[in-house]
Amino acid sequence: AKVRVTPSKDIGDGEVTSLQLYTYTTCTHTQGKINTEDAQKGWIKMKKCEYTDNGTTITCWEANVVPDYEIIKLRANGNEERTLSSGITPVAGKFYNITLNKDKGFTIDKEGNYNVYNEDGLKAWAEALQDNNSLNITLTADITLTPPAEGESNWSPKWGYDGIFDGNGKTITGLTIEYGNATYAGLFAQLGENGTVKNLTLKDVNITAAYYTGAVAGRNNGTIENCSVSGTVESSSDIAGGITGYNNGTITGCTASGDVSAGFATGGIVGNFVKGKITDCHSYATVEGGNSVGGVVGYMDSNATLAACSSTYSVTAEGSGDASVGGVVGYINTGATVTACYATGSVTAKQGYNVGGVAGSSFGGALTACYHAKGTVFGSATVGGVLGLNQTGTGISGTVTACYWSDYDGSGIGDDQTNIGQTMKVDGDWMDAVTQMNAALQSAGSEWLYELTGELPTLKKQ
């Protein structure tokens, strides 16, 4: 039997470069009956052909197939599999014509979850969110977004998403959002309390807004885990982070690289960390801001917990006055905790003060078993190898426990108003520092410990 496949009119020239059918690749003929007992199914190539319809030349694809055995799927361009809307069972000597419709880019399983494998499918899922903001999605292939015209966007951030976005280890490349004076920009404008984004790589992002800017979400109220971001994230006014601008949720196992910039509250991972927990996140981004600038987090509020995070690139504050710039965190508020975190990049306040290798300012926060190494630490005043200003107030007393620094000639804390900060400079071997930091982590009940396998300590889970 012969099967012909003809692309539909909405498929452009060159979109289909090859077609294959899934059927028996060989057969034998015994006493008038097709015998496939010793044959196997597989992909057979179709031959490109042409025919004329009302004076128009139509490109098609043809193949001879084994009769009497159902064909239910085909494959375009070597990797795009399609299931036929209704299978065909060819009869010997007959001719069958199949119309190849434009690829939707997604399939929907019986639970209503989207499996998406190209840009059209991603945008179809996004459109469907208007009717159901909890539609789960799994990426089944890497996706490259079409570059927009200069100054325009190729994605509209989604609000209040409460489903599960599973990147499945795949990559979305070229996410571009140019929001000008608007706010809340990222793959999601805002991730809801029940929303989850996981196992996703965002490559070569270019995201600009006025406030609340992050590659994964402008604001996170849910869960972000095992996500990686590279590119440029910028708020022309305030609050930007490589992963999310404003965090009220949980972030675990994420990385960011490239450039992050804003005015107030700028961080390699999060700009403004209001509440929740961030664990095992690492910034390889260059971070620049006005004030409250940190390699991992710009500003930490009272109900925020940061653990086992690091920054390895430069952190710079451009503003004058209280810069509050740190290798890990810019400003730590009362009750916030920073545990087992470190930075190895330069920390600079070009015009301001309150500068620390780990944190710029702490007003009643807690630093435990953190360190800064290698990079320079510079500011106009109140500069420390670990912490710039350890501020106290009525009923408030910040703590610094078993924290270390090297490569800065001043003190560990620029201004320790509590007079109880535990910091020590390391000249050479870090082994004693590792021992003391691990003792502090065990006393604190941390699940993390340091190990010294190279020049500097690194973290491992117990």
Side-chain angles (χ1 to χ4, degrees):
K2 183 181 290 292
V3 174
R4 173 188 289 171
V5 177
T6 304
S8 61
K9 294 180 180 180
D10 57 352
I11 295 179
D13 293 339
E15 284 191 40
V16 179
T17 58
S18 69
L19 282 176
Q20 296 168 288
L21 291 175
Y22 191 76
T23 184
Y24 282 104
T25 55
T26 59
C27 68
T28 57
H29 188 273
T30 305
Q31 296 181 347
K33 184 178 180 181
I34 298 295
N35 178 15
T36 58
E37 291 180 1
D38 298 323
Q40 294 184 348
K41 281 191 172 182
W43 294 103
I44 64 170
K45 294 181 180 180
M46 303 192 76
K47 183 179 179 181
K48 194 173 183 179
C49 58
E50 292 181 346
Y51 66 92
T52 301
D53 183 14
N54 294 325
T56 300
T57 300
I58 307 296
T59 299
C60 58
W61 305 80
E62 291 183 345
N64 293 319
V65 298
V66 177
D68 301 330
Y69 294 92
E70 186 179 31
I71 298 173
I72 60 173
K73 60 182 179 179
L74 56 77
R75 184 163 66 184
N77 303 328
N79 59 5
E80 300 170 14
E81 289 191 19
R82 309 277 194 90
T83 300
L84 302 182
S85 56
S86 58
I88 60 171
T89 303
V91 174
K94 295 292 184 72
F95 175 87
Y96 298 86
N97 193 41
I98 300 172
T99 299
L100 178 67
N101 294 316
K102 188 172 180 64
D103 189 0
K104 297 185 298 182
F106 69 90
T107 59
I108 301 176
D109 65 23
K110 60 183 180 180
E111 285 81 27
N113 304 316
Y114 276 63
N115 296 297
V116 170
Y117 50 87
N118 67 22
E119 181 178 12
D120 289 339
L122 184 65
K123 292 186 174 180
W125 164 81
E127 184 73 19
L129 292 182
Q130 296 182 24
D131 297 321
N132 181 354
N133 213 20
S134 299
L135 285 175
N136 296 333
I137 176 176
T138 299
L139 300 186
T140 58
D142 295 335
I143 296 172
T144 299
L145 300 179
T146 303
E150 186 174 354
E152 296 185 2
S153 305
N154 59 12
W155 181 257
S156 178
K158 307 306 162 190
W159 275 92
Y161 179 63
D162 273 325
I164 298 174
F165 190 111
D166 186 356
N168 193 32
K170 307 302 181 183
T171 299
I172 297 175
T173 300
L175 178 68
T176 302
I177 301 169
E178 177 53 71
Y179 252 29
N181 293 324
T183 61
Y184 293 102
L187 181 67
F188 295 95
Q190 180 173 294
L191 193 62
E193 291 183 4
N194 298 315
T196 296
V197 181
K198 63 182 181 178
N199 308 324
L200 174 66
T201 296
L202 295 175
K203 181 181 177 183
D204 297 337
V205 304
N206 191 349
I207 304 174
T208 303
Y211 296 90
Y212 305 109
T213 312
V216 177
R219 174 171 176 155
N220 172 43
N221 297 321
T223 301
I224 301 173
E225 58 186 40
N226 300 327
C227 290
S228 178
V229 168
S230 67
T232 300
V233 176
E234 177 184 359
S235 284
S236 57
S237 293
D238 299 327
I239 308 176
I243 299 297
T244 183
Y246 187 101
N247 186 61
N248 272 341
T250 300
I251 303 176
T252 306
C254 293
T255 64
S257 62
D259 299 286
V260 182
S261 62
F264 165 76
T266 313
I269 300 296
V270 172
N272 193 359
F273 184 12
V274 178
K275 66 179 181 180
K277 189 173 184 179
I278 299 175
T279 307
D280 191 21
C281 291
H282 307 280
S283 171
Y284 308 96
T286 298
V287 182
E288 294 185 2
N291 57 74
S292 293
V293 186
V296 178
V297 173
Y299 185 97
M300 281 185 73
D301 222 328
S302 301
N303 296 309
T305 299
L306 186 71
C309 294
S310 69
S311 170
T312 59
Y313 277 58
S314 64
V315 183
T316 305
E318 303 282 351
S320 59
D322 182 3
S324 292
V325 54
V328 176
V329 183
Y331 185 92
I332 307 170
N333 211 342
T334 308
T337 63
V338 180
T339 305
C341 293
Y342 64 90
T344 58
S346 62
V347 183
T348 306
K350 289 187 175 181
Q351 307 175 66
Y353 51 85
N354 294 342
V355 185
V358 176
S361 299
S362 175
F363 183 60
L367 284 170
T368 302
C370 297
Y371 79 83
H372 177 268
K374 286 192 173 181
T376 59
V377 183
F378 174 82
S380 62
T382 321
V383 181
V386 172
L387 175 62
L389 173 63
N390 193 18
Q391 188 176 6
T392 189
T394 303
I396 296 170
S397 183
T399 62
V400 181
T401 305
C403 291
Y404 292 78
W405 86 96
S406 65
D407 303 305
Y408 171 66
D409 291 333
S411 61
I413 302 175
D415 182 3
D416 187 4
Q417 297 179 358
T418 69
N419 293 316
I420 58 173
Q422 300 175 11
T423 63
M424 184 174 291
K425 186 176 181 180
V426 175
D427 290 313
D429 188 7
W430 279 81
M431 183 57 71
D432 184 61
V434 167
T435 300
Q436 298 303 318
M437 287 191 292
N438 283 345
L441 291 174
Q442 289 178 328
S443 295
S446 173
E447 62 180 347
W448 295 90
L449 289 176
Y450 285 102
E451 60 181 350
L452 191 62
T453 58
E455 181 183 359
L456 293 173
T458 54
L459 290 163
K460 65 176 181 178
K461 245 183 178 180
Q462 294 193 63

